[in-house]
Amino acid sequence: MMKMLLLIGMLLLVLAACQNSANVGEDLPQEEVPVENVETDPEEADDTELVVEKRLLKKADTVLRSLTEHDWPSLSKLTHPDKGLTFSFYAAIGTDEDNEVTFTKEEAANLGNDREYIWGYDHGDQQFKMTAHNWVTNYLLMHQGVSSVDYTEVTYNDSIVESGGMINTIADEYPEAKYVEYYSPPSDIEFDWQALRFVFEEKESEWYLVAIVRDVYSP
């Protein structure tokens, strides 16, 4: 009988020791699994850029339509709230203040007035002073007020024209911007091609128009 009691006691002591070991294990901190650096999936990045491209192509189409219809309030809605809208006489925006004119968002909405603005100068120092309506009609929707243009080619953040005598400086002046180019190929005259570049910058997840750049052959 005594041996039986001793055997039971020893068994109870072993069970108690096992239970204590289990509790100690529970109190130990769990080993942390290292988290690997999460890299952006190139395909996801491409998808994001594709979304931006589609949005800006659509906005550029609205800009061109607003110019064609002289719908200044619609153009104003697309205009950057802080930087306003700059019209550049030549491709080299940001290099010659005399060939640029900037309007605030509010001013852009009222460009249908009869006020004349100096839009720029040619190489013979001829001053181009006229209303916004005449500037758009004769120099953005026509070539030098003489021949019609047909913007049949559209590119995103790239230009068909390498240089027409003036370098495209959008990337220098607006390093965070993206642009859409409308290009009218030359006729038999060869040098009567024309391009319009609509420049957009992002602000609080929205893309706004900051510049309209005209590019023509400039010897």
PDB file of all heavy atoms in Angstrom, residues 146-181:
ATOM      1  N   VAL A 146      -3.566  82.129 -91.374  1.00  0.00           N
ATOM      2  CA  VAL A 146      -3.620  82.008 -92.830  1.00  0.00           C
ATOM      3  C   VAL A 146      -4.259  80.699 -93.273  1.00  0.00           C
ATOM      4  O   VAL A 146      -5.203  80.679 -94.055  1.00  0.00           O
ATOM      5  CB  VAL A 146      -2.211  82.127 -93.445  1.00  0.00           C
ATOM      6  CG1 VAL A 146      -2.265  81.906 -94.945  1.00  0.00           C
ATOM      7  CG2 VAL A 146      -1.598  83.482 -93.117  1.00  0.00           C
ATOM      8  N   SER A 147      -3.725  79.592 -92.786  1.00  0.00           N
ATOM      9  CA  SER A 147      -4.200  78.281 -93.229  1.00  0.00           C
ATOM     10  C   SER A 147      -4.811  77.504 -92.067  1.00  0.00           C
ATOM     11  O   SER A 147      -4.487  77.738 -90.891  1.00  0.00           O
ATOM     12  CB  SER A 147      -3.047  77.486 -93.848  1.00  0.00           C
ATOM     13  OG  SER A 147      -1.989  77.341 -92.908  1.00  0.00           O
ATOM     14  N   SER A 148      -5.685  76.581 -92.393  1.00  0.00           N
ATOM     15  CA  SER A 148      -6.350  75.788 -91.362  1.00  0.00           C
ATOM     16  C   SER A 148      -5.413  74.703 -90.852  1.00  0.00           C
ATOM     17  O   SER A 148      -4.436  74.327 -91.513  1.00  0.00           O
ATOM     18  CB  SER A 148      -7.618  75.148 -91.923  1.00  0.00           C
ATOM     19  OG  SER A 148      -7.303  74.284 -92.994  1.00  0.00           O
ATOM     20  N   VAL A 149      -5.681  74.199 -89.683  1.00  0.00           N
ATOM     21  CA  VAL A 149      -4.921  73.096 -89.116  1.00  0.00           C
ATOM     22  C   VAL A 149      -5.884  71.953 -88.820  1.00  0.00           C
ATOM     23  O   VAL A 149      -7.071  72.163 -88.593  1.00  0.00           O
ATOM     24  CB  VAL A 149      -4.180  73.506 -87.820  1.00  0.00           C
ATOM     25  CG1 VAL A 149      -3.101  74.517 -88.117  1.00  0.00           C
ATOM     26  CG2 VAL A 149      -5.153  74.038 -86.788  1.00  0.00           C
ATOM     27  N   ASP A 150      -5.341  70.764 -88.836  1.00  0.00           N
ATOM     28  CA  ASP A 150      -6.147  69.587 -88.553  1.00  0.00           C
ATOM     29  C   ASP A 150      -5.368  68.716 -87.573  1.00  0.00           C
ATOM     30  O   ASP A 150      -4.440  68.010 -87.949  1.00  0.00           O
ATOM     31  CB  ASP A 150      -6.428  68.817 -89.855  1.00  0.00           C
ATOM     32  CG  ASP A 150      -7.430  67.691 -89.643  1.00  0.00           C
ATOM     33  OD1 ASP A 150      -8.014  67.618 -88.544  1.00  0.00           O
ATOM     34  OD2 ASP A 150      -7.613  66.882 -90.572  1.00  0.00           O
ATOM     35  N   TYR A 151      -5.759  68.809 -86.302  1.00  0.00           N
ATOM     36  CA  TYR A 151      -5.039  68.078 -85.261  1.00  0.00           C
ATOM     37  C   TYR A 151      -5.442  66.606 -85.277  1.00  0.00           C
ATOM     38  O   TYR A 151      -6.302  66.164 -84.513  1.00  0.00           O
ATOM     39  CB  TYR A 151      -5.307  68.703 -83.897  1.00  0.00           C
ATOM     40  CG  TYR A 151      -4.759  70.103 -83.755  1.00  0.00           C
ATOM     41  CD1 TYR A 151      -5.603  71.205 -83.568  1.00  0.00           C
ATOM     42  CD2 TYR A 151      -3.387  70.344 -83.812  1.00  0.00           C
ATOM     43  CE1 TYR A 151      -5.094  72.484 -83.432  1.00  0.00           C
ATOM     44  CE2 TYR A 151      -2.867  71.621 -83.682  1.00  0.00           C
ATOM     45  CZ  TYR A 151      -3.731  72.688 -83.493  1.00  0.00           C
ATOM     46  OH  TYR A 151      -3.219  73.956 -83.368  1.00  0.00           O
ATOM     47  N   THR A 152      -4.796  65.864 -86.152  1.00  0.00           N
ATOM     48  CA  THR A 152      -5.160  64.464 -86.363  1.00  0.00           C
ATOM     49  C   THR A 152      -4.333  63.493 -85.525  1.00  0.00           C
ATOM     50  O   THR A 152      -4.695  62.330 -85.386  1.00  0.00           O
ATOM     51  CB  THR A 152      -4.986  64.081 -87.845  1.00  0.00           C
ATOM     52  OG1 THR A 152      -3.641  64.374 -88.241  1.00  0.00           O
ATOM     53  CG2 THR A 152      -5.953  64.871 -88.711  1.00  0.00           C
ATOM     54  N   GLU A 153      -3.222  63.960 -84.951  1.00  0.00           N
ATOM     55  CA  GLU A 153      -2.348  63.072 -84.192  1.00  0.00           C
ATOM     56  C   GLU A 153      -2.258  63.548 -82.744  1.00  0.00           C
ATOM     57  O   GLU A 153      -1.983  64.721 -82.483  1.00  0.00           O
ATOM     58  CB  GLU A 153      -0.958  63.015 -84.833  1.00  0.00           C
ATOM     59  CG  GLU A 153      -0.990  62.513 -86.280  1.00  0.00           C
ATOM     60  CD  GLU A 153       0.396  62.412 -86.893  1.00  0.00           C
ATOM     61  OE1 GLU A 153       1.317  61.947 -86.193  1.00  0.00           O
ATOM     62  OE2 GLU A 153       0.546  62.798 -88.065  1.00  0.00           O
ATOM     63  N   VAL A 154      -2.490  62.616 -81.835  1.00  0.00           N
ATOM     64  CA  VAL A 154      -2.490  62.937 -80.406  1.00  0.00           C
ATOM     65  C   VAL A 154      -1.490  62.029 -79.695  1.00  0.00           C
ATOM     66  O   VAL A 154      -1.508  60.804 -79.862  1.00  0.00           O
ATOM     67  CB  VAL A 154      -3.886  62.751 -79.785  1.00  0.00           C
ATOM     68  CG1 VAL A 154      -3.863  63.132 -78.307  1.00  0.00           C
ATOM     69  CG2 VAL A 154      -4.918  63.580 -80.535  1.00  0.00           C
ATOM     70  N   THR A 155      -0.602  62.613 -78.906  1.00  0.00           N
ATOM     71  CA  THR A 155       0.373  61.835 -78.144  1.00  0.00           C
ATOM     72  C   THR A 155       0.320  62.238 -76.681  1.00  0.00           C
ATOM     73  O   THR A 155      -0.028  63.385 -76.346  1.00  0.00           O
ATOM     74  CB  THR A 155       1.810  62.036 -78.672  1.00  0.00           C
ATOM     75  OG1 THR A 155       2.107  63.441 -78.696  1.00  0.00           O
ATOM     76  CG2 THR A 155       1.950  61.462 -80.066  1.00  0.00           C
ATOM     77  N   TYR A 156       0.691  61.291 -75.813  1.00  0.00           N
ATOM     78  CA  TYR A 156       0.664  61.522 -74.373  1.00  0.00           C
ATOM     79  C   TYR A 156       2.076  61.648 -73.827  1.00  0.00           C
ATOM     80  O   TYR A 156       2.891  60.733 -73.968  1.00  0.00           O
ATOM     81  CB  TYR A 156      -0.074  60.381 -73.673  1.00  0.00           C
ATOM     82  CG  TYR A 156       0.042  60.390 -72.165  1.00  0.00           C
ATOM     83  CD1 TYR A 156      -0.632  61.346 -71.408  1.00  0.00           C
ATOM     84  CD2 TYR A 156       0.829  59.459 -71.500  1.00  0.00           C
ATOM     85  CE1 TYR A 156      -0.533  61.364 -70.027  1.00  0.00           C
ATOM     86  CE2 TYR A 156       0.932  59.460 -70.127  1.00  0.00           C
ATOM     87  CZ  TYR A 156       0.254  60.419 -69.389  1.00  0.00           C
ATOM     88  OH  TYR A 156       0.357  60.441 -68.027  1.00  0.00           O
ATOM     89  N   ASN A 157       2.363  62.793 -73.222  1.00  0.00           N
ATOM     90  CA  ASN A 157       3.652  63.055 -72.584  1.00  0.00           C
ATOM     91  C   ASN A 157       4.830  62.809 -73.525  1.00  0.00           C
ATOM     92  O   ASN A 157       5.907  62.378 -73.111  1.00  0.00           O
ATOM     93  CB  ASN A 157       3.807  62.180 -71.334  1.00  0.00           C
ATOM     94  CG  ASN A 157       4.414  62.942 -70.175  1.00  0.00           C
ATOM     95  OD1 ASN A 157       4.223  64.147 -70.034  1.00  0.00           O
ATOM     96  ND2 ASN A 157       5.135  62.247 -69.328  1.00  0.00           N
ATOM     97  N   ASP A 158       4.594  63.082 -74.776  1.00  0.00           N
ATOM     98  CA  ASP A 158       5.630  62.917 -75.783  1.00  0.00           C
ATOM     99  C   ASP A 158       5.275  63.825 -76.955  1.00  0.00           C
ATOM    100  O   ASP A 158       4.119  64.181 -77.143  1.00  0.00           O
ATOM    101  CB  ASP A 158       5.713  61.462 -76.235  1.00  0.00           C
ATOM    102  CG  ASP A 158       6.966  61.181 -77.050  1.00  0.00           C
ATOM    103  OD1 ASP A 158       7.892  62.006 -77.011  1.00  0.00           O
ATOM    104  OD2 ASP A 158       7.009  60.130 -77.724  1.00  0.00           O
ATOM    105  N   SER A 159       6.291  64.186 -77.742  1.00  0.00           N
ATOM    106  CA  SER A 159       6.065  65.086 -78.865  1.00  0.00           C
ATOM    107  C   SER A 159       6.502  64.451 -80.172  1.00  0.00           C
ATOM    108  O   SER A 159       7.540  63.786 -80.239  1.00  0.00           O
ATOM    109  CB  SER A 159       6.829  66.404 -78.656  1.00  0.00           C
ATOM    110  OG  SER A 159       6.662  67.253 -79.765  1.00  0.00           O
ATOM    111  N   ILE A 160       5.688  64.662 -81.186  1.00  0.00           N
ATOM    112  CA  ILE A 160       6.042  64.192 -82.522  1.00  0.00           C
ATOM    113  C   ILE A 160       7.183  65.030 -83.084  1.00  0.00           C
ATOM    114  O   ILE A 160       8.049  64.537 -83.801  1.00  0.00           O
ATOM    115  CB  ILE A 160       4.813  64.252 -83.454  1.00  0.00           C
ATOM    116  CG1 ILE A 160       3.766  63.231 -82.986  1.00  0.00           C
ATOM    117  CG2 ILE A 160       5.198  63.992 -84.907  1.00  0.00           C
ATOM    118  CD1 ILE A 160       2.480  63.268 -83.757  1.00  0.00           C
ATOM    119  N   VAL A 161       7.194  66.320 -82.725  1.00  0.00           N
ATOM    120  CA  VAL A 161       8.205  67.246 -83.224  1.00  0.00           C
ATOM    121  C   VAL A 161       9.408  67.252 -82.292  1.00  0.00           C
ATOM    122  O   VAL A 161       9.292  67.568 -81.110  1.00  0.00           O
ATOM    123  CB  VAL A 161       7.644  68.683 -83.326  1.00  0.00           C
ATOM    124  CG1 VAL A 161       8.670  69.599 -83.961  1.00  0.00           C
ATOM    125  CG2 VAL A 161       6.348  68.692 -84.114  1.00  0.00           C
ATOM    126  N   GLU A 162      10.567  66.908 -82.800  1.00  0.00           N
ATOM    127  CA  GLU A 162      11.772  66.947 -81.971  1.00  0.00           C
ATOM    128  C   GLU A 162      12.165  68.390 -81.681  1.00  0.00           C
ATOM    129  O   GLU A 162      12.479  68.748 -80.551  1.00  0.00           O
ATOM    130  CB  GLU A 162      12.911  66.219 -82.680  1.00  0.00           C
ATOM    131  CG  GLU A 162      14.178  66.145 -81.851  1.00  0.00           C
ATOM    132  CD  GLU A 162      15.250  65.291 -82.495  1.00  0.00           C
ATOM    133  OE1 GLU A 162      14.920  64.531 -83.434  1.00  0.00           O
ATOM    134  OE2 GLU A 162      16.420  65.378 -82.066  1.00  0.00           O
ATOM    135  N   SER A 163      12.161  69.218 -82.699  1.00  0.00           N
ATOM    136  CA  SER A 163      12.432  70.643 -82.535  1.00  0.00           C
ATOM    137  C   SER A 163      12.078  71.369 -83.820  1.00  0.00           C
ATOM    138  O   SER A 163      12.490  70.964 -84.901  1.00  0.00           O
ATOM    139  CB  SER A 163      13.906  70.898 -82.184  1.00  0.00           C
ATOM    140  OG  SER A 163      14.151  72.303 -82.144  1.00  0.00           O
ATOM    141  N   GLY A 164      11.298  72.425 -83.661  1.00  0.00           N
ATOM    142  CA  GLY A 164      10.957  73.243 -84.816  1.00  0.00           C
ATOM    143  C   GLY A 164      11.730  74.546 -84.803  1.00  0.00           C
ATOM    144  O   GLY A 164      11.299  75.545 -85.373  1.00  0.00           O
ATOM    145  N   GLY A 165      12.871  74.531 -84.130  1.00  0.00           N
ATOM    146  CA  GLY A 165      13.658  75.756 -83.965  1.00  0.00           C
ATOM    147  C   GLY A 165      13.630  76.219 -82.525  1.00  0.00           C
ATOM    148  O   GLY A 165      14.548  76.876 -82.046  1.00  0.00           O
ATOM    149  N   MET A 166      12.552  75.871 -81.813  1.00  0.00           N
ATOM    150  CA  MET A 166      12.412  76.159 -80.385  1.00  0.00           C
ATOM    151  C   MET A 166      12.327  74.835 -79.649  1.00  0.00           C
ATOM    152  O   MET A 166      11.561  73.949 -80.033  1.00  0.00           O
ATOM    153  CB  MET A 166      11.144  76.979 -80.114  1.00  0.00           C
ATOM    154  CG  MET A 166      11.205  78.408 -80.607  1.00  0.00           C
ATOM    155  SD  MET A 166      12.180  79.419 -79.459  1.00  0.00           S
ATOM    156  CE  MET A 166      11.900  81.051 -80.178  1.00  0.00           C
ATOM    157  N   ILE A 167      13.100  74.683 -78.592  1.00  0.00           N
ATOM    158  CA  ILE A 167      13.133  73.431 -77.838  1.00  0.00           C
ATOM    159  C   ILE A 167      11.926  73.338 -76.907  1.00  0.00           C
ATOM    160  O   ILE A 167      11.525  74.317 -76.277  1.00  0.00           O
ATOM    161  CB  ILE A 167      14.428  73.325 -77.029  1.00  0.00           C
ATOM    162  CG1 ILE A 167      15.636  73.309 -77.960  1.00  0.00           C
ATOM    163  CG2 ILE A 167      14.437  72.062 -76.162  1.00  0.00           C
ATOM    164  CD1 ILE A 167      16.969  73.327 -77.251  1.00  0.00           C
ATOM    165  N   ASN A 168      11.341  72.160 -76.825  1.00  0.00           N
ATOM    166  CA  ASN A 168      10.248  71.882 -75.908  1.00  0.00           C
ATOM    167  C   ASN A 168      10.801  71.843 -74.482  1.00  0.00           C
ATOM    168  O   ASN A 168      11.534  70.930 -74.121  1.00  0.00           O
ATOM    169  CB  ASN A 168       9.593  70.552 -76.281  1.00  0.00           C
ATOM    170  CG  ASN A 168       8.463  70.160 -75.335  1.00  0.00           C
ATOM    171  OD1 ASN A 168       8.174  70.844 -74.365  1.00  0.00           O
ATOM    172  ND2 ASN A 168       7.818  69.049 -75.630  1.00  0.00           N
ATOM    173  N   THR A 169      10.446  72.847 -73.674  1.00  0.00           N
ATOM    174  CA  THR A 169      11.009  72.964 -72.326  1.00  0.00           C
ATOM    175  C   THR A 169       9.996  72.648 -71.225  1.00  0.00           C
ATOM    176  O   THR A 169      10.186  73.036 -70.074  1.00  0.00           O
ATOM    177  CB  THR A 169      11.560  74.386 -72.105  1.00  0.00           C
ATOM    178  OG1 THR A 169      10.494  75.335 -72.314  1.00  0.00           O
ATOM    179  CG2 THR A 169      12.702  74.690 -73.045  1.00  0.00           C
ATOM    180  N   ILE A 170       8.938  71.954 -71.563  1.00  0.00           N
ATOM    181  CA  ILE A 170       7.911  71.652 -70.561  1.00  0.00           C
ATOM    182  C   ILE A 170       8.502  70.880 -69.381  1.00  0.00           C
ATOM    183  O   ILE A 170       8.208  71.173 -68.221  1.00  0.00           O
ATOM    184  CB  ILE A 170       6.762  70.846 -71.205  1.00  0.00           C
ATOM    185  CG1 ILE A 170       5.972  71.739 -72.172  1.00  0.00           C
ATOM    186  CG2 ILE A 170       5.825  70.279 -70.136  1.00  0.00           C
ATOM    187  CD1 ILE A 170       4.908  71.007 -72.963  1.00  0.00           C
ATOM    188  N   ALA A 171       9.348  69.903 -69.659  1.00  0.00           N
ATOM    189  CA  ALA A 171       9.935  69.094 -68.585  1.00  0.00           C
ATOM    190  C   ALA A 171      10.799  69.927 -67.647  1.00  0.00           C
ATOM    191  O   ALA A 171      10.925  69.609 -66.458  1.00  0.00           O
ATOM    192  CB  ALA A 171      10.752  67.951 -69.186  1.00  0.00           C
ATOM    193  N   ASP A 172      11.412  70.987 -68.155  1.00  0.00           N
ATOM    194  CA  ASP A 172      12.241  71.860 -67.317  1.00  0.00           C
ATOM    195  C   ASP A 172      11.390  72.816 -66.492  1.00  0.00           C
ATOM    196  O   ASP A 172      11.651  73.039 -65.312  1.00  0.00           O
ATOM    197  CB  ASP A 172      13.206  72.657 -68.189  1.00  0.00           C
ATOM    198  CG  ASP A 172      14.183  71.765 -68.937  1.00  0.00           C
ATOM    199  OD1 ASP A 172      14.594  70.739 -68.367  1.00  0.00           O
ATOM    200  OD2 ASP A 172      14.520  72.083 -70.091  1.00  0.00           O
ATOM    201  N   GLU A 173      10.378  73.369 -67.117  1.00  0.00           N
ATOM    202  CA  GLU A 173       9.537  74.359 -66.445  1.00  0.00           C
ATOM    203  C   GLU A 173       8.530  73.706 -65.503  1.00  0.00           C
ATOM    204  O   GLU A 173       8.215  74.249 -64.436  1.00  0.00           O
ATOM    205  CB  GLU A 173       8.801  75.200 -67.500  1.00  0.00           C
ATOM    206  CG  GLU A 173       7.974  76.340 -66.938  1.00  0.00           C
ATOM    207  CD  GLU A 173       8.814  77.455 -66.328  1.00  0.00           C
ATOM    208  OE1 GLU A 173      10.065  77.408 -66.451  1.00  0.00           O
ATOM    209  OE2 GLU A 173       8.234  78.376 -65.741  1.00  0.00           O
ATOM    210  N   TYR A 174       8.042  72.543 -65.872  1.00  0.00           N
ATOM    211  CA  TYR A 174       7.059  71.830 -65.053  1.00  0.00           C
ATOM    212  C   TYR A 174       7.516  70.372 -64.869  1.00  0.00           C
ATOM    213  O   TYR A 174       6.975  69.457 -65.499  1.00  0.00           O
ATOM    214  CB  TYR A 174       5.683  71.848 -65.721  1.00  0.00           C
ATOM    215  CG  TYR A 174       5.129  73.229 -65.977  1.00  0.00           C
ATOM    216  CD1 TYR A 174       5.200  73.814 -67.242  1.00  0.00           C
ATOM    217  CD2 TYR A 174       4.518  73.959 -64.956  1.00  0.00           C
ATOM    218  CE1 TYR A 174       4.681  75.078 -67.478  1.00  0.00           C
ATOM    219  CE2 TYR A 174       4.004  75.223 -65.186  1.00  0.00           C
ATOM    220  CZ  TYR A 174       4.084  75.778 -66.447  1.00  0.00           C
ATOM    221  OH  TYR A 174       3.566  77.033 -66.681  1.00  0.00           O
ATOM    222  N   PRO A 175       8.507  70.137 -64.025  1.00  0.00           N
ATOM    223  CA  PRO A 175       9.066  68.782 -63.885  1.00  0.00           C
ATOM    224  C   PRO A 175       8.081  67.744 -63.364  1.00  0.00           C
ATOM    225  O   PRO A 175       8.266  66.543 -63.592  1.00  0.00           O
ATOM    226  CB  PRO A 175      10.232  68.982 -62.905  1.00  0.00           C
ATOM    227  CG  PRO A 175       9.931  70.260 -62.187  1.00  0.00           C
ATOM    228  CD  PRO A 175       9.207  71.123 -63.167  1.00  0.00           C
ATOM    229  N   GLU A 176       7.030  68.174 -62.683  1.00  0.00           N
ATOM    230  CA  GLU A 176       6.041  67.236 -62.147  1.00  0.00           C
ATOM    231  C   GLU A 176       4.822  67.100 -63.059  1.00  0.00           C
ATOM    232  O   GLU A 176       3.879  66.389 -62.718  1.00  0.00           O
ATOM    233  CB  GLU A 176       5.582  67.704 -60.751  1.00  0.00           C
ATOM    234  CG  GLU A 176       6.700  67.861 -59.734  1.00  0.00           C
ATOM    235  CD  GLU A 176       7.427  66.543 -59.480  1.00  0.00           C
ATOM    236  OE1 GLU A 176       6.753  65.501 -59.466  1.00  0.00           O
ATOM    237  OE2 GLU A 176       8.663  66.574 -59.310  1.00  0.00           O
ATOM    238  N   ALA A 177       4.856  67.776 -64.187  1.00  0.00           N
ATOM    239  CA  ALA A 177       3.683  67.813 -65.058  1.00  0.00           C
ATOM    240  C   ALA A 177       3.693  66.699 -66.097  1.00  0.00           C
ATOM    241  O   ALA A 177       4.704  66.033 -66.327  1.00  0.00           O
ATOM    242  CB  ALA A 177       3.609  69.172 -65.758  1.00  0.00           C
ATOM    243  N   LYS A 178       2.542  66.524 -66.720  1.00  0.00           N
ATOM    244  CA  LYS A 178       2.391  65.654 -67.881  1.00  0.00           C
ATOM    245  C   LYS A 178       1.611  66.451 -68.916  1.00  0.00           C
ATOM    246  O   LYS A 178       0.831  67.341 -68.563  1.00  0.00           O
ATOM    247  CB  LYS A 178       1.665  64.367 -67.514  1.00  0.00           C
ATOM    248  CG  LYS A 178       2.393  63.520 -66.463  1.00  0.00           C
ATOM    249  CD  LYS A 178       1.657  62.240 -66.161  1.00  0.00           C
ATOM    250  CE  LYS A 178       2.353  61.458 -65.037  1.00  0.00           C
ATOM    251  NZ  LYS A 178       3.729  61.047 -65.393  1.00  0.00           N
ATOM    252  N   TYR A 179       1.839  66.141 -70.183  1.00  0.00           N
ATOM    253  CA  TYR A 179       1.143  66.912 -71.204  1.00  0.00           C
ATOM    254  C   TYR A 179       0.598  66.025 -72.310  1.00  0.00           C
ATOM    255  O   TYR A 179       1.030  64.880 -72.508  1.00  0.00           O
ATOM    256  CB  TYR A 179       2.061  67.994 -71.787  1.00  0.00           C
ATOM    257  CG  TYR A 179       3.223  67.486 -72.625  1.00  0.00           C
ATOM    258  CD1 TYR A 179       3.105  67.328 -74.006  1.00  0.00           C
ATOM    259  CD2 TYR A 179       4.454  67.195 -72.040  1.00  0.00           C
ATOM    260  CE1 TYR A 179       4.172  66.889 -74.778  1.00  0.00           C
ATOM    261  CE2 TYR A 179       5.525  66.751 -72.802  1.00  0.00           C
ATOM    262  CZ  TYR A 179       5.385  66.595 -74.167  1.00  0.00           C
ATOM    263  OH  TYR A 179       6.440  66.151 -74.927  1.00  0.00           O
ATOM    264  N   VAL A 180      -0.382  66.577 -73.011  1.00  0.00           N
ATOM    265  CA  VAL A 180      -0.971  65.921 -74.169  1.00  0.00           C
ATOM    266  C   VAL A 180      -0.735  66.825 -75.371  1.00  0.00           C
ATOM    267  O   VAL A 180      -1.007  68.025 -75.304  1.00  0.00           O
ATOM    268  CB  VAL A 180      -2.483  65.685 -73.977  1.00  0.00           C
ATOM    269  CG1 VAL A 180      -3.099  65.081 -75.242  1.00  0.00           C
ATOM    270  CG2 VAL A 180      -2.726  64.770 -72.779  1.00  0.00           C
ATOM    271  N   GLU A 181      -0.215  66.255 -76.442  1.00  0.00           N
ATOM    272  CA  GLU A 181       0.063  67.044 -77.647  1.00  0.00           C
ATOM    273  C   GLU A 181      -0.927  66.710 -78.757  1.00  0.00           C
ATOM    274  O   GLU A 181      -1.189  65.545 -79.040  1.00  0.00           O
ATOM    275  CB  GLU A 181       1.480  66.778 -78.140  1.00  0.00           C
ATOM    276  CG  GLU A 181       1.814  67.532 -79.436  1.00  0.00           C
ATOM    277  CD  GLU A 181       3.202  67.224 -79.970  1.00  0.00           C
ATOM    278  OE1 GLU A 181       4.167  67.783 -79.422  1.00  0.00           O
ATOM    279  OE2 GLU A 181       3.312  66.421 -80.929  1.00  0.00           O
TER     280      GLU A 181
END
